[in-house]
Amino acid sequence: FVTHISKFKTVAVTGGSSVASIPAYIDKENDASNLLFVAARGGGGQYIGLQANVIAASFAEACGGSYSPFYYPESLSAEAHEAFRKEPSVLKMIDLYDEVDCVLHGIGDAQTMANLRGSDAEERHMLNEEGAKGEAFGYYFDRTGKVVHRLRTVGIRPEQLKRVPLPIAIAGGRSKAEAILSYMATAPKQTVLVTDEGAANEMVNLLTQ
């Protein structure tokens, strides 16, 4: 893993259990001290161990590199969001996203992610009505890959992701099949999907129905 990404300079990582599981398996004998790990999306919520900032620090420790945290309050009002996104630290991170060479990100089931984030009944109902199946980077996607909802936060934007040389999507398990298909329907063409047999078999079943 480190051998493949050590040629890059800046790696962005998202939160989630799949991405969080990787640092423990990184061979610490590889020298990747040149790598800077950053959170792909600002945030701060209940499940601190699965947040992008913590995971970025874990990658940096495992690789011998460095990391840059990005704390951005969730559940801001529209007015507070507009004010906060003009802060120097936020503007600095937005600029840094233009320099990202590699992105490691998960793909979540839409309703599961909404529940984890404590979304109210109205938002969960809206996601269901809009046919949301998958989530990544704070965006919710329907079966065709169309964005049907997005969180009020700051992170890597779709146009920036399209310019990243190596986006790696990581998701597995039979229950994630629909979510994976929804995201991959319009994912950047250079995206590499890392999944498992359970998800792969179920995706084949869904695609051949």
Side-chain angles (χ1 to χ4, degrees), residues 161-199:
L161 188 63
K162 290 178 181 178
R163 297 194 297 266
V164 173
L166 183 59
I168 303 176
I170 306 163
R174 186 174 181 271
S175 63
K176 285 283 189 76
E178 273 198 314
I180 295 170
L181 288 175
S182 73
Y183 174 77
M184 294 302 294
T186 54
K189 62 182 180 180
Q190 72 273 29
T191 300
V192 174
L193 174 63
V194 179
T195 190
D196 61 11
E197 186 176 1

Side-chain angles (χ1 to χ4, degrees), residues 1 5 11-23 25-26 37 55 59 102-109 113 135-137 166-173 176-177 179-181 183-184 187 191-196 199 203:
F1 171 80
I5 70 170
V11 179
V13 300
T14 67
S17 57
S18 295
V19 180
S21 68
I22 297 174
Y25 298 96
I26 292 177
F37 292 91
I55 296 172
F59 270 99
C102 176
V103 176
L104 303 172
H105 70 90
I107 301 171
D109 171 76
M113 294 305 299
E135 185 276 341
F137 303 103
L166 183 59
I168 303 176
I170 306 163
K176 285 283 189 76
I180 295 170
L181 288 175
Y183 174 77
M184 294 302 294
T191 300
V192 174
L193 174 63
V194 179
T195 190
D196 61 11
M203 283 189 280

Side-chain angles (χ1 to χ4, degrees), residues 114-172:
N115 289 333
L116 286 174
R117 289 174 173 140
S119 301
D120 58 29
E122 182 179 357
E123 184 175 18
R124 295 198 303 271
H125 176 72
M126 178 274 296
L127 290 171
N128 186 58
E129 288 293 302
E130 294 291 336
K133 299 298 182 183
E135 185 276 341
F137 303 103
Y139 291 81
Y140 289 86
F141 306 87
D142 68 10
R143 192 182 301 273
T144 68
K146 175 186 175 183
V147 175
V148 296
H149 182 58
R150 64 163 297 185
L151 298 180
R152 191 180 292 131
T153 186
V154 174
I156 288 183
R157 301 186 301 274
E159 60 269 25
Q160 291 173 311
L161 188 63
K162 290 178 181 178
R163 297 194 297 266
V164 173
L166 183 59
I168 303 176
I170 306 163

Side-chain angles (χ1 to χ4, degrees), residues 13 20 35 61 65 68 83 111 135 200:
V13 300
L35 288 175
E61 180 180 4
S68 179
Q111 288 295 337
E135 185 276 341

Side-chain angles (χ1 to χ4, degrees), residues 53-68:
N53 285 314
V54 175
I55 296 172
S58 298
F59 270 99
E61 180 180 4
C63 295
S66 57
Y67 75 99
S68 179

Side-chain angles (χ1 to χ4, degrees), residues 26-78:
I26 292 177
D27 185 354
K28 291 180 171 56
E29 293 184 3
N30 288 289
D31 180 19
S33 57
N34 61 301
L35 288 175
L36 169 65
F37 292 91
V38 301
R41 186 174 72 84
Q46 181 179 359
Y47 300 95
I48 185 67
L50 300 181
Q51 290 178 17
N53 285 314
V54 175
I55 296 172
S58 298
F59 270 99
E61 180 180 4
C63 295
S66 57
Y67 75 99
S68 179
F70 183 26
Y71 299 105
Y72 193 95
E74 294 183 339
S75 303
L76 289 177
S77 66

